[in-house]
Amino acid sequence: MENKTRSSAEIEAILTSLDGITKAEAPPFFHTRLSARLQRNAVIPSSQHWGFAFLRPSLVTLCLFLVLNVLSIRAVILEKQTSIEGNTTSEANLQSFSQEYNLGVTLPYNETSTTNKAINHE
Amino acid sequence: MDEQLLIQQLVLGNQLAFTQLVNDYQHLVYNTVLSVLQNRDEAEDVSQEVFIQVYQSIKGFKGESKLSTWMYRIAITKSLDWERKKKRKKRFAIIESLFGTNNETVKHDPAEFHHPGVSMENKEKATLLFKAMAKLPENQKVAFTLNKVEGLSYQDIADVMQVTVASVEAYLHRAKQNLRKELSHIYQ
């Protein structure tokens, strides 16, 4: 795209192009259409009732935004709770499995594991 | 009917007085709104809203200014409100189309506006000027439109905009500067 510049004379000619402008006239039957609209407005349309204010796009967007945020925060909290419960459960499962099969799995905090007992006796 | 009598009759709800008001001011209102919005269909809609506003709030008109000043003020306010509403709708439609919730294409305004009151030899230049005017900040656009299209004096513009004459001069000066800047480039 090649940019050229206009001369000052051209710009001034454009700036003065509205000199002598005549007023645009309202379209024909303007008053007739206006009267009809006034008569229609005499009964307040239901869409303008305050109860329908919630349907405005800006309000809908704001509500969606709030709901999404609440759901996201709830999901994060639930996930944290689940992972804590999950860790506790898996450790308990591991212990019961090792006891059942006498595997002597040593857990750092478990001082009564079979392996430790064997070492101590030695 | 003189202005004071007309206002009195309007306050009383006289339908003939309202008809006379529309007949007297419809071209003034339409021309002002058309020059700001640069769209004939929208100008007719907004012009009707101006008269509806007058009909509903004539009782609140204190008569401190001329009736024409009040009509200009409502016309300008309604036009600027319409423009802001249109810009918001366009932004929302673009966001909707990005998320695929709106399958309609985003409508774009016609590229060029031809004011019916411009002489033939100035039509092309006037089209370029109106295009540049559409990009002005609101106050500058209003002052320039009222001065160049409506032919109002600085005092009358100050009364409509409820500012000082010095402010009107400043708006016009800045408007011309911005228009010169905008018009200085031709794109090919």
Side-chain angles (χ1 to χ4, degrees):
Chain A
M1 200 164 54
E2 190 187 321
N3 293 354
K4 287 184 183 176
T5 52
R6 285 195 176 94
S7 68
S8 305
E10 279 177 303
I11 293 170
E12 291 310 309
I14 293 170
L15 283 176
T16 54
S17 61
L18 298 184
D19 290 355
I21 187 173
T22 55
K23 286 192 174 46
E25 290 194 350
F29 307 110
F30 176 80
H31 183 260
T32 310
R33 284 197 284 275
L34 172 62
S35 299
R37 192 166 163 179
L38 275 167
Q39 281 178 3
R40 278 200 308 273
N41 283 4
V43 176
I44 298 168
S46 57
S47 62
Q48 289 181 7
H49 193 272
W50 66 267
F52 285 86
F54 72 88
L55 288 176
R56 287 190 191 153
S58 53
L59 281 172
V60 169
T61 311
L62 181 64
C63 289
L64 272 172
F65 180 72
L66 287 170
V67 164
L68 283 170
N69 272 336
V70 165
L71 287 174
S72 306
I73 292 166
R74 198 162 164 261
V76 166
I77 292 169
L78 275 173
E79 200 186 317
K80 276 189 182 166
Q81 281 177 351
T82 310
S83 68
I84 289 166
E85 284 168 13
N87 283 344
T88 313
T89 310
S90 67
E91 282 163 6
N93 284 344
L94 206 56
Q95 267 194 305
S96 67
F97 183 78
S98 73
Q99 280 168 5
E100 197 174 321
Y101 291 96
N102 293 321
L103 293 177
V105 172
T106 308
L107 293 172
Y109 55 84
N110 186 357
E111 294 179 348
T112 58
S113 69
T114 312
T115 311
N116 277 344
K117 278 182 191 169
I119 291 168
N120 288 338
H121 282 306
E122 285 177 16
Chain B
M1 212 186 285
D2 81 337
E3 192 167 296
Q4 286 307 316
L5 185 59
L6 180 64
I7 294 167
Q8 277 174 14
Q9 291 302 309
L10 285 168
V11 170
L12 290 171
N14 186 327
Q15 285 303 310
L16 284 175
F18 185 71
T19 302
Q20 185 175 334
L21 178 83
V22 175
N23 288 339
D24 290 349
Y25 291 100
Q26 60 179 319
H27 302 312
L28 178 155
V29 168
Y30 181 75
N31 189 50
T32 305
V33 172
L34 179 67
S35 304
V36 174
L37 298 183
Q38 300 186 17
N39 179 297
R40 287 172 207 237
D41 292 334
E42 290 176 7
E44 188 179 350
D45 270 345
V46 174
S47 299
Q48 286 181 4
E49 287 184 20
V50 170
F51 284 103
I52 291 171
Q53 174 80 54
V54 168
Y55 185 82
Q56 289 171 343
S57 54
I58 188 67
K59 287 178 184 168
F61 177 61
K62 292 168 189 167
E64 289 164 353
S65 59
K66 290 186 290 185
L67 191 54
S68 59
T69 303
W70 191 53
M71 300 292 297
Y72 273 121
R73 206 176 288 150
I74 297 176
I76 292 291
T77 306
K78 287 281 178 193
S79 303
L80 295 178
D81 283 347
W82 183 276
E83 276 198 328
R84 288 179 208 131
K85 201 165 127 183
K86 212 166 82 169
K87 279 182 191 161
R88 273 200 306 270
K89 271 187 189 172
K90 219 185 250 183
R91 253 182 262 138
F92 198 73
I94 288 168
I95 291 167
E96 274 189 316
S97 68
L98 284 174
F99 287 105
T101 55
N102 181 4
N103 292 325
E104 291 174 13
T105 52
V106 177
K107 287 177 189 167
H108 296 283
D109 293 324
E112 290 179 350
F113 166 66
H114 302 287
H115 191 285
V118 173
S119 59
M120 276 310 290
E121 61 266 27
N122 283 329
K123 272 222 180 314
E124 261 187 56
K125 295 192 193 82
T127 301
L128 291 168
L129 180 56
F130 273 109
K131 200 172 170 183
M133 279 164 64
K135 296 180 184 180
L136 288 174
E138 284 181 355
N139 283 334
Q140 293 172 27
K141 189 193 301 186
V142 168
F144 193 83
T145 301
L146 290 176
N147 183 242
K148 290 290 180 184
V149 182
E150 283 296 311
L152 294 188
S153 66
Y154 286 19
Q155 183 60 60
D156 285 340
I157 297 171
D159 292 340
V160 170
M161 295 179 74
Q162 293 178 296
V163 298
T164 61
V165 170
S167 297
V168 172
E169 287 171 353
Y171 292 146
L172 286 170
H173 177 70
R174 274 182 243 144
K176 284 176 190 166
Q177 279 184 325
N178 286 330
L179 288 169
R180 283 191 185 98
K181 212 187 290 182
E182 180 62 30
L183 291 167
S184 64
H185 294 287
I186 311 170
Y187 299 99
Q188 288 189 351

